[in-house]
Amino acid sequence: IANEVSFDVSDLDQLGDLYALSVFYYSTNGDDWKECSQGDTICLAGQSWMNPELNHCQWAWISCNDDGRVVNVIFTDAEGNNLDGPLTLELGLLTELTQFVAVNNKITGNFPEEFGELTKVTHLILASNSMSGVIADDFLINSPVEIFMVNNNEFSGAIPRSLTEISTLSQLLLANNRFNGAIPEEFGRLTNLGTLDLTGNQFIGVIPDAIYSDSIENLFLGENPQLQGTISSAIGQANNLSRLRITNTGISGSIPNEIYSLPRLAELDLSDNSLTGQLSGSVSNLGDTLRILKLEGNNFNGVLPSSAIDQLIVSNVLKFERNSFTGTISARTCARRGDGRNELGELTVDCEEVTCNCCDNCT
């Protein structure tokens, strides 16, 4: 490679970067990329790859530091660039790499061991590809990872131990894969973890109390039918929780009162579980924050607390159908339908048991 380019790559580390990118290009069928393939005269993202007249730091989606080392590989097109093929072990030569982003492509296979040994990666975003296999237990254990997104792939096995130990981790999105086993309680020790999305996997067991940490803001555990147990009162520890989605699982029991004291809760989606009991009037405590309340498809009963529901003044979605609730939706709540800024856009109940003159499914 060094003999075929017209710019200086005498530095061995820079040459390693060039080699790694070149192998990656051919491994992912670079000549068939949507844009910026070798020889493309039009490359809206910058300069086409594999141009022997240009330093690789000038190629589209590549950023280098002052020493000419590759630090970012970020394919910015959210619709993908038709990358088709596996990640290669040569990517381990990118020892200064901090961000690697390529979503909505056809990247296949697992992470090479050499990639997992990198020590400076902060952002790894490979959502919506075709990757598979079991991620190594020590994957990126020595990197200060902040964002790890591999949702919408085909990974399997347990969540790697490293992802429960990297203290810098703030966003972990593993949704819609085939991960299995118990949800690690060690997540509760990650003091920077704000978003945890485990939706659409094959997790079993109970939801660990430790997961309701003070740092968690967005917690998505739905579409794991084998999850059992209850929503613990420990959820009251999650003072920064904004969005909670636990849908289509096997959890049972009632809604713990501690949920109604969460100061920032904006979304509570507990649809399609086996939850029981009544909706407490304490739900009115969430009146200034709660925008989405979805309880449909459970075994709730009792009279809907109409006056408390009236206090949910910023809610946009209220769904109570497919339960055994009774009672009435008040005229005050109905008046919020179509009122502009805080419009109640969706409102559903079981129309034969609950009187409602304005619900979407009651005609």
Side-chain angles (χ1 to χ4, degrees), residues 71-72 74 96-101 115 118-125 140 142-149 163 166 168-172:
V71 291
N72 296 328
I74 303 177
E96 296 295 313
L97 184 68
T98 62
Q99 299 188 64
F100 192 93
V101 179
F115 193 103
L118 295 174
T119 60
K120 297 186 178 181
V121 177
T122 61
H123 295 62
L124 180 59
I125 303 176
L140 292 178
N142 294 314
S143 273
V145 182
E146 298 172 12
I147 298 176
F148 188 98
M149 297 175 58
L163 295 181
I166 299 174
T168 51
L169 196 61
S170 64
Q171 297 183 40
L172 178 59

Side-chain angles (χ1 to χ4, degrees), residues 44-210:
L44 299 179
Q47 300 293 332
S48 295
W49 281 47
M50 309 304 294
N51 185 338
E53 303 298 322
L54 294 176
N55 187 287
H56 55 278
C57 293
Q58 297 175 270
W59 295 352
W61 309 299
I62 303 299
S63 300
C64 295
N65 60 20
D66 291 341
D67 296 323
R69 298 298 312 283
V70 172
V71 291
N72 296 328
V73 179
I74 303 177
F75 290 84
T76 54
D77 190 343
E79 297 182 359
N81 196 48
N82 200 37
L83 278 66
D84 188 352
L87 302 181
T88 54
L89 62 86
E90 288 81 7
L91 291 173
L93 296 171
L94 302 177
T95 54
E96 296 295 313
L97 184 68
T98 62
Q99 299 188 64
F100 192 93
V101 179
V103 302
N104 280 313
N105 287 285
K106 303 173 187 176
I107 297 174
T108 60
N110 203 339
F111 292 106
E113 178 181 349
E114 292 78 4
F115 193 103
E117 294 173 351
L118 295 174
T119 60
K120 297 186 178 181
V121 177
T122 61
H123 295 62
L124 180 59
I125 303 176
L126 288 166
S128 301
N129 281 283
S130 300
M131 300 187 70
S132 60
V134 177
I135 301 177
D137 220 27
D138 59 352
F139 184 70
L140 292 178
I141 187 65
N142 294 314
S143 273
V145 182
E146 298 172 12
I147 298 176
F148 188 98
M149 297 175 58
V150 296
N151 43 303
N152 302 314
N153 279 280
E154 299 174 17
F155 288 111
S156 57
I159 294 175
R161 172 180 53 85
S162 59
L163 295 181
T164 70
E165 296 183 359
I166 299 174
S167 61
T168 51
L169 196 61
S170 64
Q171 297 183 40
L172 178 59
L173 285 80
L174 306 180
N176 301 318
N177 281 279
R178 300 172 185 170
F179 290 108
N180 55 46
I183 296 175
E185 64 179 19
E186 289 81 5
F187 281 137
R189 302 174 188 169
L190 302 182
T191 57
N192 292 299
L193 186 61
T195 297
L196 178 62
D197 189 354
L198 304 181
T199 305
N201 283 283
Q202 299 170 10
F203 293 110
I204 62 174
V206 301
I207 302 171
D209 287 356

